[in-house]
Amino acid sequence: MRQRLIVGNWKMFTTAATARRLAADVVRGLGAETRVRVALCPPAPYLGVVGEVVSGTVVALGAQNVYPEKEGAFTGETGIGMLLDLGCRYVVVGHSERRHLLGEDDPFINRKVKAAVAAGLEVIVCVGETLEQRRGRETRACLERQLSGALVGLTQEQVRHIVVAYEPVWAIGTGVSATPEEAQEAATEIRELVQEQFGEEPAHSLPILDGGSVNAANAATLMHLPDIDGGLIGHASLMADEYLSILRSAV
């Protein structure tokens, strides 16, 4: 049985003080709960701050991005070795904001995935269609292109270290959430596509997260869909009470 995973993506929010306080509130509220995996992904400048708070607890540290080299002359980037040094267990790759705002393409995302998996990180690969693609009935084609592009060259064993987050781009920050039916349909297609690429067992064990504006009001329904195994939580993860409510729904 796949264990549920709830990941808080704080994006470009918080200060050192609020990041520390938010992480501490989550750790305190979660206690010794182990039925659901939990990770927090603060902005890169606060990875160390949050890492100190979650160290030795059931909450894992994750990064929002990584450059696909351990170190080097890459001004402004964060290397894989740096994330490991700070205690990161997870890294988010291919988020729609990096695809559409910063121009990251599938080959570059694939480089990140390969490098992060090889280094021992659990990689959360984001995929999802725009409103135009959904209206054009191109959702499955979009998911297939992004998944095959991100995962090409991986082995079945390496896929065990992959988590896929379904991100309907049209639902991010708009106040519109994917319906449970839409989320389940996309998750089913993702599992089918991974099975075509890697076989039945890797597809069956693959954790799939909902990244389409999960909040305290809809979490209970979304978290118990057959092919949804948790959530990549954006805005709602910035409020400890709401994030903890989502965690309770997952349990």
Side-chain angles (χ1 to χ4, degrees):
M1 182 176 178
R2 298 181 298 270
Q3 187 178 19
R4 300 201 184 282
L5 170 64
I6 307 294
V7 181
N9 174 19
W10 295 357
K11 304 193 179 186
M12 201 173 73
F13 293 101
T14 69
T15 64
T18 59
R20 184 184 297 276
R21 185 162 58 248
L22 179 55
D25 287 344
V26 171
V27 168
R28 188 180 309 110
L30 191 62
E33 177 61 66
T34 58
R35 287 174 293 176
V36 59
R37 291 185 292 162
V38 179
L40 298 177
C41 298
Y46 308 135
L47 282 168
V49 171
V50 174
E52 290 176 358
V53 176
V54 304
S55 178
T57 75
V58 296
V59 179
L61 183 66
Q64 298 177 20
N65 185 40
V66 68
Y67 193 78
E69 299 293 341
K70 185 176 181 179
E71 59 185 10
F74 306 106
T75 300
E77 296 293 343
T78 304
I80 289 174
M82 296 173 181
L83 298 187
L84 294 172
D85 187 44
L86 288 168
C88 287
R89 178 180 172 188
Y90 293 91
V91 63
V92 178
V93 172
H95 194 282
S96 62
E97 291 156 4
R98 300 203 64 85
R99 291 178 186 269
H100 298 290
L101 297 180
L102 299 171
E104 295 192 0
D105 60 14
D106 291 323
F108 186 48
I109 291 166
N110 179 242
R111 285 179 59 200
K112 292 185 179 187
V113 172
K114 285 180 175 177
V117 169
L121 289 165
E122 303 290 310
V123 184
I124 301 166
V125 178
C126 299
V127 297
E129 80 282 14
T130 64
L131 181 59
E132 182 180 5
Q133 288 169 327
R134 171 161 282 272
R135 286 174 173 170
R137 300 183 183 277
E138 300 173 17
T139 296
R140 186 179 178 93
C142 174
L143 296 176
E144 182 174 14
R145 182 177 65 254
Q146 291 176 344
L147 278 171
S148 61
L151 305 182
V152 63
L154 267 62
T155 66
Q156 286 188 342
E157 181 58 35
Q158 287 175 318
V159 174
R160 295 179 185 275
H161 300 282
I162 298 294
V163 176
V164 174
Y166 170 60
E167 258 197 318
V169 180
W170 47 272
I172 299 172
T174 63
V176 178
S177 300
T179 66
E181 293 77 16
E182 289 168 332
Q184 172 59 31
E185 180 182 15
T188 298
E189 291 182 337
I190 288 168
R191 213 172 289 287
E192 290 173 353
L193 290 166
V194 172
Q195 180 170 335
E196 291 174 7
Q197 195 169 355
F198 295 100
E200 183 175 355
E201 199 285 324
H204 177 74
S205 60
L206 176 76
I208 299 176
L209 311 184
D210 187 292
S213 300
V214 179
N215 55 52
N218 62 20
T221 300
L222 291 171
M223 293 300 128
H224 292 86
L225 295 170
D227 284 299
I228 298 293
D229 306 304
L232 178 61
I233 318 299
H235 180 73
S237 70
L238 294 168
M239 298 165 283
D241 288 347
E242 184 157 3
Y243 189 59
L244 289 166
S245 178
I246 294 170
L247 290 172
R248 286 189 286 270
S249 295
V251 172

